[in-house]
Amino acid sequence: MSWIAVSAPGIDKFSPDGLTPRQRPAEQGNIAEEDLMVRGTLVFETRLPNANRPRFLLQYERQGTWPFHLSLQAIPGGGLILIVNQGGSVLHQVLNVADSGRLETLRLSYAWDAPARAGWIALEHEEREFPLLVQIDSPPPLRTDDLKALFTEGGHRFVSQDMVYFALSNRIEPVGPMPSLLPDTPIATPAGYRELREIQRGDTVISANGDAVPVLHKVSRTVPAFGSTAPLTIRRPYFGLRQNIVVAPSQRLLLSGTEVEYLFGREAVLVSARHLVGGHSVMPARAGLTITYSQLLLPSGEAIVTAGTLAESLYIGRLHRRPLHLAASIFAGCERSRLPDHGRPSHIVLRSFDARILAEARAA
């Protein structure tokens, strides 16, 4: 089991059996107020309000013999304050990323493992290669009843309109580089196209320059299907596609052509799918409450032939040089020596403004 709760506009769901449909869900009794969740992850994705004073994005408080308070505030300049106060144990953490330029959306993860006496808070946004990561010592377990109430609509909580979604997992969820293709995505190999789910470590795939490149790892992860992980459909015949594919907004395409050379003086550029939404080529896809993405790790982060277009494989930068980030990543437990050094991306990565200019030039 993993994700058990999510709240988004018009949705409040708490399910001990998990949000992902199962053929035979395990029988669960009523959740008792004294039950404790000894480990888990709370994820909050929010837009930053334009304000000159701190503003609550989320607030929940319960009085009694064992009072509980949880709140998330936006602070001027681009940052967040997370407060968790349970029975006198107080976590008060300020995370400021104002040095990263103009920000629109941030994703904060709070992971706790009470038996291991360890936890962390991570702050992510699309313009930063690695999350801002803060270790937490001896985080307490959280009461299941409080978590259930947090994901139940009512006057006992406040949720700002700037909150995109927040979700709960009963596992420690990784942060950092993430997979971004559906498992059924066709990937070109020397033996022809194969679905991504069929490809394993040691197999070879066809890169953008036509070489057969070995697969170092294949990773998969189930995430809430909202906000920065809500799926997008890239439609054929745009970008050379032979069929529609569904990707995460972070999936980058390798684009080339006369417009690219004229506008950027490069043969090819990398563009995130999120920056291509708005025309007929990339549109939101239907999904349930969660979605599973997969991706391949290649020696140099090469782009691979994907249903006729060129999609970047999993780019991890120099993750192996960051022990703390590695331990919090999807590659936790993997030997550092087995991870490649990707350095910088092989092509420049367009930001949203430049990506929109390119999209408009192609549509003209």
Side-chain angles (χ1 to χ4, degrees):
M1 199 186 305
S2 178
W3 299 100
I4 62 173
V6 67
S7 282
I11 297 173
D12 284 290
K13 179 74 171 180
F14 184 95
S15 175
D17 295 335
L19 300 179
T20 302
R22 302 173 186 275
Q23 290 184 344
R24 293 183 179 179
E27 292 295 329
Q28 297 281 342
N30 293 328
I31 299 175
E33 183 175 346
E34 64 272 13
D35 286 348
L36 295 177
M37 187 174 292
V38 298
R39 65 178 57 84
T41 306
L42 279 166
V43 176
F44 310 91
E45 185 163 313
T46 181
R47 292 178 291 271
L48 287 180
N50 185 13
N52 56 7
R53 59 183 177 82
R55 288 182 54 181
F56 279 106
L57 299 168
L58 176 70
Q59 185 177 28
Y60 166 69
E61 189 162 2
R62 178 183 54 78
Q63 301 298 326
T65 57
W66 195 256
F68 178 79
H69 169 94
L70 185 149
S71 64
L72 185 66
Q73 298 180 59
I75 55 178
L80 298 174
I81 300 175
L82 176 67
I83 300 175
V84 182
N85 185 343
Q86 179 175 253
S89 175
V90 181
L91 168 66
H92 184 287
Q93 187 65 51
V94 179
L95 300 104
N96 200 322
V97 289
D99 60 340
S100 300
R102 182 174 180 270
L103 301 175
E104 295 181 353
T105 303
L106 294 174
R107 183 171 63 253
L108 183 145
S109 300
Y110 170 50
W112 70 95
D113 189 336
R117 304 179 65 82
W120 44 257
I121 297 174
L123 189 61
E124 302 175 275
H125 64 86
E126 63 174 283
E127 302 295 347
R128 196 181 188 118
E129 181 178 345
F130 293 105
L132 177 61
L133 199 57
V134 178
Q135 288 183 293
I136 304 297
D137 294 327
S138 302
L142 299 185
R143 288 162 53 110
T144 305
D145 194 59
D146 285 323
L147 292 170
K148 182 179 181 181
L150 181 64
F151 288 88
T152 303
E153 185 179 9
H156 60 283
R157 70 173 193 183
F158 167 77
V159 181
S160 167
Q161 293 182 346
D162 291 304
M163 183 67 66
V164 179
Y165 81 91
F166 54 104
L168 170 67
S169 170
N170 60 6
R171 295 179 179 175
I172 304 299
E173 295 292 338
V175 294
M178 288 294 163
S180 48
L181 296 174
L182 290 195
D184 63 358
T185 304
I187 304 295
T189 74
Y193 276 103
R194 298 172 60 191
E195 289 190 356
L196 178 54
R197 62 164 53 91
E198 300 173 353
I199 299 175
Q200 302 298 326
R201 174 180 173 146
D203 293 343
T204 56
V205 295
I206 304 299
S207 68
N209 59 13
D211 293 338
V213 181
V215 174
L216 303 182
H217 295 277
K218 184 177 77 173
V219 293
S220 297
R221 188 192 172 198
T222 299
V223 293
F226 301 91
S228 62
T229 48
L232 299 173
T233 297
I234 306 181
R235 302 173 62 203
R236 69 179 181 94
Y238 300 101
F239 313 114
L241 281 170
R242 300 179 179 180
Q243 68 177 67
N244 294 353
I245 60 173
V246 176
V247 305
S250 61
Q251 176 61 55
R252 298 195 291 220
L253 301 183
L254 184 63
L255 303 182
S256 59
T258 56
E259 300 92 346
V260 171
E261 294 186 22
Y262 175 75
L263 291 171
F264 308 107
R266 307 283 180 130
E267 291 185 2
V269 294
L270 288 166
V271 184
S272 296
R274 63 164 58 91
H275 298 323
L276 298 172
V277 177
H280 298 290
S281 58
V282 181
M283 308 179 75
R286 291 184 178 181
L289 298 178
T290 63
I291 188 167
T292 298
Y293 294 114
S294 298
Q295 188 51 284
L296 304 176
L297 182 68
L298 304 183
S300 299
E302 294 91 340
I304 49 180
V305 180
T306 306
T309 194
L310 298 176
E312 185 185 36
S313 60
L314 185 62
Y315 172 76
I316 64 170
R318 290 175 170 163
L319 182 63
H320 68 105
R321 296 189 181 185
R322 294 172 169 261
L324 180 60
H325 287 81
L326 176 58
S329 77
I330 201 168
F331 292 102
C334 181
E335 293 183 21
R336 295 166 60 184
S337 60
R338 291 182 175 270
L339 294 177
D341 187 331
H342 282 169
R344 294 184 177 180
S346 56
H347 298 82
I348 66 168
V349 180
L350 298 190
R351 296 199 175 188
S352 58
F353 178 76
D354 291 328
R356 284 195 295 267
I357 292 177
L358 176 58
E360 291 172 359
R362 288 195 160 204

